[in-house]
Amino acid sequence: QVQLQESGPGLVKPSQTLALTCSVSGGSISSGDSYWSWIRQHPGKGLEWIGYIHYSGSTYYNPSLESRVTISVDTSKNQFSLKVTSVTAADTAVYFCARAPSKSADWFDPWGQGTLVTVSS
Amino acid sequence: DIVMTQSPDSLAVSLGERATINCKSSQSVLSSSNNKNYLAWYQQKAGQPPKVLIYWAFTRESGVPDRFSGSGSGTDFTLTISSLQAEDVAVYYCQQYSSTPLTFGQGTRLEIK
């Protein structure tokens, strides 16, 4: 079955760019109608959808983050990525990647294990 | 944005007893075109990612025990655990996928009494 794994730096300095990659195994990122998603969870808090991408390149972002967020896909590597620019301490969170089955059925399954990103100088 | 509000924030239930978690959306998540409620429930255990339990408001994900059930329509939904087991200790979230931005409830922490 499909498995996802996040990777990237665990510490980012304020004002810099956070960059994470999600590697997909057990299935092709290019198959079907799946939307490949990023979700974050601030320490001890709830879940915030960041955005998602279809392998065709079609993207949807949370308007609250849209000005600072880019999600891209690399079908040759079976990966998709997240960039968040101009980070502050408020971007400290566990970042999850996940799959939504389709644009009209966008619950999330499966999820990666998550990676903690701390924004600090 | 559709705001999802769960109640209660935390809940303590005895083993074998029923647990009920509520979720209310600020707008209806029922589609008039297909009569489906765009509502999912997740379970998140400590140190783990969330796991989907239910989607379309009441369709149980494969492998999820049948003690978990979802109900409701429109703006009011309920997740019920019919007989609480020790392994059900977790935080539970509802999520709407009726419109973007996709949004989650604040979570309900379920503990053993």
Side-chain angles (χ1 to χ4, degrees):
Chain A
Q1 71 276 23
V2 173
Q3 293 184 307
L4 293 84
Q5 180 65 57
E6 305 88 352
S7 60
L11 181 64
V12 181
K13 288 182 168 52
S15 81
Q16 294 192 343
T17 297
L18 177 162
L20 298 174
T21 296
C22 183
S23 299
V24 179
S25 60
S28 172
I29 203 169
S30 303
S31 64
D33 298 326
S34 297
Y35 273 74
W36 303 94
S37 314
W38 288 99
I39 298 154
R40 69 182 184 180
Q41 186 169 35
H42 295 101
K45 301 294 185 183
L47 299 159
E48 179 181 32
W49 175 71
I50 299 170
Y52 54 20
I53 190 167
H54 186 258
Y55 77 88
S56 64
S58 176
T59 53
Y60 295 82
Y61 298 123
N62 191 324
S64 68
L65 295 164
E66 186 166 15
S67 63
R68 299 192 295 127
V69 167
T70 302
I71 298 175
S72 58
V73 64
D74 187 336
T75 55
S76 67
K77 294 182 178 179
N78 224 34
Q79 295 176 338
F80 61 107
S81 299
L82 170 71
K83 289 187 178 179
V84 183
T85 61
S86 306
V87 297
T88 70
D91 294 306
T92 293
V94 175
Y95 286 76
F96 295 100
C97 58
R99 181 187 66 177
S102 74
K103 179 64 178 70
S104 59
D106 26 12
W107 61 86
F108 302 106
D109 177 59
W111 296 59
Q113 281 299 306
T115 187
L116 174 63
V117 178
T118 301
V119 178
S120 175
S121 56
Chain B
D1 299 9
I2 298 178
V3 177
M4 307 299 289
T5 304
Q6 293 180 226
S7 62
D9 289 334
S10 63
L11 181 63
V13 174
S14 300
L15 289 172
E17 296 299 306
R18 179 185 299 261
T20 301
I21 299 169
N22 301 301
C23 175
K24 188 174 184 67
S25 57
S26 62
Q27 304 171 36
S28 176
V29 299
L30 173 63
S31 170
S32 57
S33 62
N34 60 11
N35 204 36
K36 287 185 174 183
N37 286 283
Y38 285 55
L39 190 286
W41 288 98
Y42 298 85
Q43 174 193 65
Q44 186 177 30
K45 297 182 178 180
Q48 297 184 17
K51 169 191 170 184
V52 68
L53 298 174
I54 285 167
Y55 50 90
W56 299 128
F58 60 83
T59 300
R60 202 178 300 115
E61 171 74 336
S62 175
V64 173
D66 60 8
R67 64 180 181 273
F68 291 91
S69 63
S71 62
S73 185
T75 61
D76 292 280
F77 300 89
T78 300
L79 174 70
T80 301
I81 307 172
S82 60
S83 177
L84 189 71
Q85 305 299 304
E87 61 265 33
D88 300 335
V89 169
V91 179
Y92 292 84
Y93 294 93
C94 59
Q95 178 229 331
Q96 67 80 21
Y97 48 97
S98 176
S99 64
T100 54
L102 308 176
T103 50
F104 295 84
Q106 81 278 15
T108 296
R109 184 173 302 276
L110 177 59
E111 299 173 335
I112 305 295
K113 186 186 293 183

